[in-house]
Amino acid sequence: ANPWRADMPGGPSALDRLISRLGDVTNGMSPNGEETLLGRLAARLRQLERRIDDESAALLSRLTARDEELLRSARRLYHACSVVPCLLYYLRTSESPTKFPATISFTIRKGVPRWTHHALWLAGWACMGRVFQSAGSAATRRFAAAMFATGIWTTFIFRLGGGLLSDAAHLLGAAAYMVDHEVLLRLWAVAPPYRAAFRASLGVLLAAFWRGHLLERRHGISAESFASPAVRRRQIAAAPRTAQRSLFRADLAIMLSENLLFSAFVQGMLSGVEARRGGGGGRSGGGAGDETSGRCEDGGGKGKAVGEFGEILHH
């Protein structure tokens, strides 16, 4: 008997039962009709997305022309933060020989590239932070403060190359910082093409990172943070030629996808603001009186959404 036939006597086939079970899991329901953990998680995520979207609409409606100019300044500084330290690293201002390909964390871990990155990053956050302070609710200000602290944790305190525990803390912070960008994508109502580019880059980054890790373990090559470029180069040279090519491709994919990931967000961070302004939404006033009256207009309606948004971010 063929168990995959749907017309067999004696009830549903094995294939029908499998499809039914997969449908139940996808819908978040167990076979006995109870909600599964996956279903509860999906519902919770949908609830979070709705509340972030509500908070996003309120945030964008309170932006002034001055706020938009601060965001443009932040975008320019963040772009410079991605490009200038990398150029300085490959100009050999921190070490020689250099490593190529290399992650952002590796190129900014010491010397002139490190301090240049920190100065540009702090300046960008100073601009964006002022916007959160003036136009954001208590919940968005708390989120921005937590994201800023995550960046400090990752690049200032536990920079790459500080040892096993330090690097573990760095990777944890880097993962959290990328997740924070997912929230910012919704808060700033970033246009779908930029969101898609961000998420596609993140997927490539994770796949390439795992591929490189497996190759390093298989051929006894030190991870990027545990050996100087010269030592790592010698280890790679001792590996088979096919492994060398595969590792180079994985490292290059990591470098390109990581940079594209942040560039996609930075380039698109004003797309939602500009779309709202083009559609007639938001306020353009720069004066103190207009700013105060504009924020009072939506003050009464935001209280419940802000409270719920803060609560779910806290959890």
Side-chain angles (χ1 to χ4, degrees):
N2 185 353
W4 304 105
R5 290 269 307 278
D7 56 352
M8 290 292 294
S13 68
L15 179 59
D16 289 336
R17 291 194 298 270
L18 176 61
I19 292 174
S20 177
R21 174 62 65 88
L22 290 175
D24 290 337
V25 171
T26 304
N27 294 328
M29 302 298 292
S30 64
N32 59 6
E34 297 178 354
E35 189 177 30
T36 64
L37 177 62
L38 181 62
R40 290 193 296 271
L41 178 61
R44 189 74 169 176
L45 288 175
R46 287 192 295 269
Q47 182 185 31
L48 175 60
E49 288 178 347
R50 287 194 297 270
R51 292 180 179 181
I52 294 175
D53 288 341
D54 290 342
E55 183 61 22
S56 169
L59 172 65
L60 296 183
S61 71
R62 293 192 291 269
L63 293 179
T64 65
R66 177 174 172 273
D67 292 330
E68 291 186 26
E69 186 54 41
L70 283 170
L71 287 176
R72 290 190 187 91
S73 297
R75 180 169 63 182
R76 289 191 290 268
L77 288 162
Y78 288 143
H79 275 315
C81 188
S82 296
V83 174
V84 176
C86 183
L87 289 177
L88 289 172
Y89 174 76
Y90 285 111
L91 288 173
R92 303 186 176 187
T93 59
S94 61
E95 66 182 2
S96 182
T98 56
K99 177 183 181 294
F100 180 84
T103 62
I104 295 173
S105 297
F106 189 85
T107 60
I108 65 167
R109 75 194 192 285
K110 63 181 181 179
V112 175
R114 176 190 176 195
W115 298 113
T116 303
H117 169 274
H118 290 359
L120 291 169
W121 186 83
L122 287 172
W125 261 102
C127 294
M128 191 166 67
R130 288 171 65 184
V131 176
F132 278 121
Q133 186 64 33
S134 63
S137 65
T140 56
R141 289 196 296 271
R142 286 196 298 269
F143 166 75
M147 184 173 179
F148 177 78
T150 303
I152 294 292
W153 166 287
T154 305
T155 58
F156 287 65
I157 301 174
F158 297 107
R159 63 184 187 274
L160 200 65
L164 182 61
L165 292 179
S166 177
D167 283 357
H170 174 85
L171 290 175
L172 179 64
Y177 198 64
M178 291 178 186
V179 172
D180 287 339
H181 277 79
E182 269 291 336
V183 179
L184 275 187
L185 286 169
R186 299 193 77 92
L187 270 180
W188 292 125
V190 172
Y194 296 106
R195 295 193 198 192
F198 179 92
R199 290 163 183 163
S201 300
L202 180 59
V204 172
L205 174 64
L206 294 175
F209 184 84
W210 183 247
R211 171 65 172 161
H213 172 71
L214 293 178
L215 287 168
E216 288 169 348
R217 289 192 61 183
R218 185 180 304 159
H219 299 286
I221 299 170
S222 299
E224 169 181 79
S225 59
F226 292 132
S228 69
V231 171
R232 182 178 163 89
R233 190 173 291 125
R234 287 196 297 270
Q235 293 174 339
I236 294 175
R241 187 63 60 88
T242 54
Q244 294 179 33
R245 289 195 293 265
S246 296
L247 186 57
F248 179 85
R249 287 194 294 266
D251 285 347
L252 184 61
I254 291 171
M255 182 180 185
L256 294 177
S257 60
E258 183 185 27
N259 281 275
L260 180 58
L261 178 147
F262 290 115
S263 295
F265 166 77
V266 172
Q267 186 60 32
M269 64 184 287
L270 275 164
S271 58
V273 176
E274 292 166 348
R276 185 179 180 85
R277 187 183 65 243
R283 295 180 299 111
S284 59
D290 293 341
E291 195 169 320
T292 303
S293 62
R295 286 182 187 149
C296 286
E297 289 174 5
D298 59 42
K302 70 173 185 177
K304 183 177 180 181
V306 168
E308 292 176 344
F309 179 70
E311 179 183 355
I312 199 164
L313 280 183
H314 172 74
H315 289 303

